[in-house]
Amino acid sequence: MLREIIKNSKNIVFFGGAGVSTESNIPDFRSESGLYAAEKNYGYPPEYLLSYTCFRKTPELFFRYYKENLIHLGAKPNAAHISLAKLEKAGALSAVVTQNIDGLHQTAGSNNVIELHGTNLKQYCVNCNARYNLDYILAPENNDGVVPKCKCGGTVRPDVVLYEEQLDDGVINAAVTAISSADCLIVGGTSLVVYPAAGLLRYFSGNKLVLINKSETNYDNAADLVIRESIGKVLGEVTEQ
């Protein structure tokens, strides 16, 4: 049925969350091996460890947690990422809206990727706004202990939206435009409980809403098709020749 929906749609948008990348061995928040499981090693929940307050008041703790839990250098795109890139190349998919910060959609070949929470592949100095890549903050010579420093002496932080920070207006507007113009919205790998990102679904007024997630969501009853299987398996089967 999903294959038919895709075949009969003219403007598909994909909206994804952490579950898209778990098949690339990147942990989500709430699973047994997720970011909450690491709480006992740091003394605080991830909502604090990834907050602006933690970054500002205890940067050593922030960067220790960030580097040990949110950077996955060996991660590679899985079948879901690759399938979405294929759909874009075929002209079926117009945009990927993602809550993830790992950059795997671009690595797989997707071009129009709207990153709601930014990306950990980019870094910037809070003092002079100089731009750096991920390799820079991982190099020991660029760190004061565990805290990366700019050549000007300022702290270099990841270009991601931390807890207590607002999403970028331009990024939100791009996501709203993409979703509101879609005739088919495929939502995958997200429990749809993280706001304001999950609230973007209210802008969809197209023909078909498809949900691919292993657990229930609050939007299941509104969907035209609900699939509770591996997102990589589902999308891989759709795009295989």
Side-chain angles (χ1 to χ4, degrees):
M1 185 174 179
L2 178 57
R3 192 188 296 269
E4 287 300 310
I5 289 176
I6 291 174
K7 180 180 178 181
N8 295 324
S9 298
K10 296 181 179 179
N11 183 9
I12 302 170
V13 169
F14 178 81
F15 179 94
V20 176
S21 291
T22 53
E23 292 173 40
S24 295
N25 295 318
I26 294 179
D28 59 11
F29 267 75
R30 295 168 179 82
S31 66
E32 285 186 17
S33 59
L35 297 183
Y36 275 107
E39 180 178 341
K40 61 181 179 296
N41 298 324
Y42 301 89
Y44 298 93
E47 289 92 344
Y48 174 76
L49 294 165
L50 296 174
S51 69
Y52 180 73
T53 295
C54 184
F55 166 75
R56 181 172 55 85
K57 290 187 174 181
T58 53
E60 296 83 3
L61 177 62
F62 171 86
F63 278 105
R64 183 165 71 89
Y65 182 79
Y66 175 76
K67 291 181 179 181
E68 292 175 358
N69 293 275
L70 276 85
I71 295 175
H72 304 275
L73 296 178
K76 298 184 183 304
N78 61 54
H81 299 107
I82 294 169
S83 297
L84 291 168
K86 287 181 179 179
L87 288 173
E88 182 189 66
K89 186 176 181 180
L93 183 78
S94 62
V96 169
V97 181
T98 180
Q99 299 175 73
N100 298 336
I101 63 173
D102 50 51
L104 290 181
H105 285 294
Q106 292 93 327
T107 303
S110 291
N111 293 304
N112 189 18
V113 181
I114 302 169
E115 296 171 308
L116 295 174
H117 298 143
T119 173
N120 64 9
L121 301 184
K122 299 178 181 179
Q123 326 290 319
Y124 68 93
C125 174
V126 299
N127 184 40
C128 71
N129 204 40
R131 299 286 161 163
Y132 296 96
N133 58 27
L134 183 59
D135 290 340
Y136 182 89
I137 73 164
L138 297 178
E141 63 269 22
N142 299 324
N143 287 262
D144 179 10
V146 71
V147 180
K149 293 295 182 179
C150 176
K151 294 177 174 61
C152 78
T155 298
V156 177
R157 61 162 285 178
D159 194 4
V160 300
V161 180
L162 304 178
Y163 285 100
E164 303 169 350
E165 294 183 318
Q166 293 185 336
L167 301 185
D168 180 84
D169 286 341
V171 173
I172 286 290
N173 289 338
V176 169
T177 298
I179 291 172
S180 61
S181 63
D183 64 346
C184 173
L185 180 63
I186 301 175
V187 181
T190 174
S191 56
L192 296 174
V193 296
V194 177
Y195 284 81
L200 292 171
L201 265 67
R202 71 178 184 271
Y203 292 100
F204 176 66
S205 58
N207 298 322
K208 297 294 182 181
L209 175 62
V210 178
L211 298 183
I212 308 171
N213 199 54
K214 290 183 177 180
S215 59
E216 293 183 19
T217 77
N218 292 331
Y219 281 83
D220 283 10
N221 291 335
D224 297 282
L225 177 62
V226 177
I227 303 174
R228 298 203 200 288
E229 291 186 41
S230 156
I231 188 168
K233 177 177 181 292
V234 171
L235 293 181
E237 290 175 349
V238 167
T239 58
E240 68 183 6
Q241 298 298 324

